[in-house]
């Protein structure tokens, strides 16, 4: 029981570290694109999501959940999870932009930070399972 708890704690820690790295990359890219290009924030967010997905998948596949599922299966499943998270992220971003309660950059950052917990559960329970 204690070993199982320690394993789950280590997985959660690793997931958090990879997630923070991917989130920082997502946040940095979206901020850069919003601030220096004429791109719509939703387009900038999609580009940043794509880059962060690559970092996130590789980190989770090789470090957080190593050897738990075949590569293609894990990538397909994690992409579904990431797309659902991105959909929720984009919906929240759109609402925040429409309501104009904060700057575009702050709205993008808030929407990025709102999703990680659901992604952890989905990845652990389905995404990287064999």
């Amino acid at each position: 029981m204690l070993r199982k708890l320690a394993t789950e704690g280590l997985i959660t820690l690793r997931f958090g570290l990879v997630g923070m790295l991917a989130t920082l990359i997502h946040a940095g890219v979206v901020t850069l694109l919003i601030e220096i290009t004429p791109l719509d924030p939703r387009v900038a967010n999609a580009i940043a999501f794509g880059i962060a997905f690559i970092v996130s998948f590789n980190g989770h596949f090789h470090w957080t959940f190593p050897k738990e599922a075949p590569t293609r299966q894990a990538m397909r499943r994690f992409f579904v999870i990431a797309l659902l998270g991105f959909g929720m992220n984009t919906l929240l971003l759109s609402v925040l932009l429409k309501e104009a309660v904060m700057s575009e950059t702050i709205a993008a950052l808030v929407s990025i930070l709102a999703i990680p917990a659901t992604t952890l559960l989905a990845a652990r329970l389905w995404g990287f399972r064999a």
Side-chain angles (χ1 to χ4, degrees), residues 8-22:
E8 291 302 318
L10 182 60
I11 288 170
T12 301
L13 175 65
R14 287 179 174 180
F15 189 89
L17 292 172
V18 170
M20 282 190 281
L21 176 62

Side-chain angles (χ1 to χ4, degrees), residues 5 11-12 19 33 69 71 75 93 95 97 101-102 107 112 114 122 126-127:
L5 203 54
I11 288 170
T12 301
L33 291 174
T71 306
M75 183 175 276
L93 176 58
V95 168
L97 291 172
V101 295
M102 58 192 73
I112 289 167
W126 180 65

